[in-house]
Each structure stands twice: as structure tokens, then as C-alpha cells.
């Protein structure tokens, strides 16, 4: 960029990077019958189940950062595909708990391996997944994600 024109804003670069990574993950997990959003659900469920949790749709939405309604839609599609089991929470009949089926666990493990390999490739310019620069980058992103959004001002 020339001295007279400003460079891209951080927001623009984050948006571009998020889109680039989403497309890359979509392509990587497509052979497994998943989209990036579905991958986010099955990978998160896989980790939560390994930790002994059986999350509700709301808990999974909070964990992934996706809207609860979207998680519900994704969970229904994954249930139809035989990857996720949806059951009523015995403690709260309004809540739906999610768990991976055996097939879902198999697909999740395969998808996680594919995406880890992809992340290694995407992070190679920083030295790879385990590089100090990647650690700093990850901490910076986490710092930005930890800042709550201020409520939108009313439109007058």
C-alpha cells in the first residue's frame, strides 16, 4: 500500500481470514459429508463427551459461539444423518441434550484429524501449530473474543 492510502483494517483482515478458513474447512470435511458449521458441532461434542459431558443445545451454542436456533437446525440435520442423538434433558424438559452416535464419533475423529492437518498447513507461515508465533496469535485472538459486545444503540 502506498503511504497515502491506509492499509486494510483489522476487522477486514479478521473477516477475510475467517472466510478463508471457513472455505478451507468446508472443502476439507466435505468428503466426510460435513460442512464447517457441522464440523464445529461434532468436534465440540466429541471433546465435551470425552470430558464426560452431555451438553444441551444451549450449552453447545454457547461453546461454539453459534446461535441456539442455528445449533438446533444443525443438530436436526446431523440427527437425520445418523451422527447425533437428541434427547430430552431429564432435569429440564424444555432442554434438548446432544450426543454423538457411534457413527458420529467415528466421523468426528476423522474430521478432527483432517482439520488438524489443515490447520498445520494454514499456520505454516507462523511456524506451524506448535510454534511460539502461533501461540501468541492464538492468545491475541482469545483476548479479542473475550471482550463482550456492547449492546447496539437504539435506532432513532
Amino acid at each position: 500500500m502506498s503511504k497515502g492510502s491506509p492499509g486494510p483494517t483489522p476487522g477486514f483482515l479478521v473477516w477475510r481470514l475467517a472466510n478463508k478458513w471457513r472455505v478451507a474447512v468446508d472443502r476439507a470435511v466435505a468428503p466426510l459429508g460435513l460442512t464447517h458449521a457441522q464440523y464445529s458441532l461434532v468436534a465440540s461434542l466429541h471433546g465435551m463427551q470425552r470430558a464426560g459431558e452431555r451438553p444441551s443445545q444451549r450449552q453447545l451454542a454457547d461453546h461454539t459461539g453459534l446461535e441456539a436456533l442455528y445449533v438446533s437446525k444443525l443438530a436436526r440435520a446431523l440427527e437425520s444423518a445418523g451422527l447425533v442423538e437428541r434427547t430430552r434433558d431429564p432435569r429440564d424438559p424444555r432442554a434438548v441434550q446432544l450426543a454423538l452416535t457411534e457413527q458420529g464419533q467415528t466421523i468426528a475423529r476423522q474430521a478432527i484429524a483432517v482439520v488438524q492437518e489443515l490447520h498445520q498447513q494454514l499456520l505454516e507461515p507462523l511456524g506451524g501449530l506448535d510454534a511460539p508465533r502461533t501461540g501468541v496469535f492464538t492468545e491475541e485472538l482469545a483476548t479479542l473474543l473475550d471482550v463482550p459486545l456492547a449492546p447496539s444503540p437504539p435506532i432513532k
Side-chain angles (χ1 to χ4, degrees):
M1 300 243 143
S2 71
K3 210 173 185 180
S5 66
T9 65
F12 178 75
L13 292 173
V14 168
W15 177 73
R16 287 282 313 274
L17 183 60
N19 281 319
K20 178 181 179 177
W21 282 38
R22 182 192 49 77
V23 167
V25 173
D26 267 335
R27 289 178 183 161
V29 298
L32 296 170
L34 298 173
T35 65
H36 183 266
Q38 290 172 328
Y39 166 76
S40 296
L41 249 63
V42 298
S44 294
L45 263 176
H46 183 266
M48 294 170 103
Q49 276 185 230
R50 287 183 53 149
E53 298 177 48
R54 188 177 176 118
S56 68
Q57 289 183 166
R58 164 57 59 198
Q59 290 168 318
L60 193 57
D62 291 344
H63 178 80
T64 60
L66 297 171
E67 293 293 327
L69 195 57
Y70 190 43
V71 168
S72 176
K73 180 181 174 183
L74 290 170
R76 287 179 199 274
L78 291 166
E79 181 181 41
S80 293
L83 303 180
V84 168
E85 175 182 271
R86 298 169 68 246
T87 57
R88 289 280 170 212
D89 185 335
R91 297 164 307 208
D92 181 358
R94 298 168 296 159
V96 174
Q97 289 182 315
L98 302 174
L100 291 172
T101 62
E102 278 190 49
Q103 180 186 1
Q105 290 174 11
T106 300
I107 294 292
R109 284 191 295 273
Q110 292 172 345
I112 289 166
V114 165
V115 171
Q116 276 192 311
E117 191 174 304
L118 175 64
H119 284 173
Q120 180 66 30
Q121 176 190 342
L122 293 172
L123 290 165
E124 198 55 46
L126 298 181
L129 267 172
D130 299 320
R133 283 183 68 195
T134 300
V136 170
F137 177 63
T138 302
E139 288 172 13
E140 298 291 348
L141 290 171
T143 297
L144 294 174
L145 286 169
D146 285 343
V147 176
L149 289 176
S152 299
I155 299 174
K156 296 179 182 183

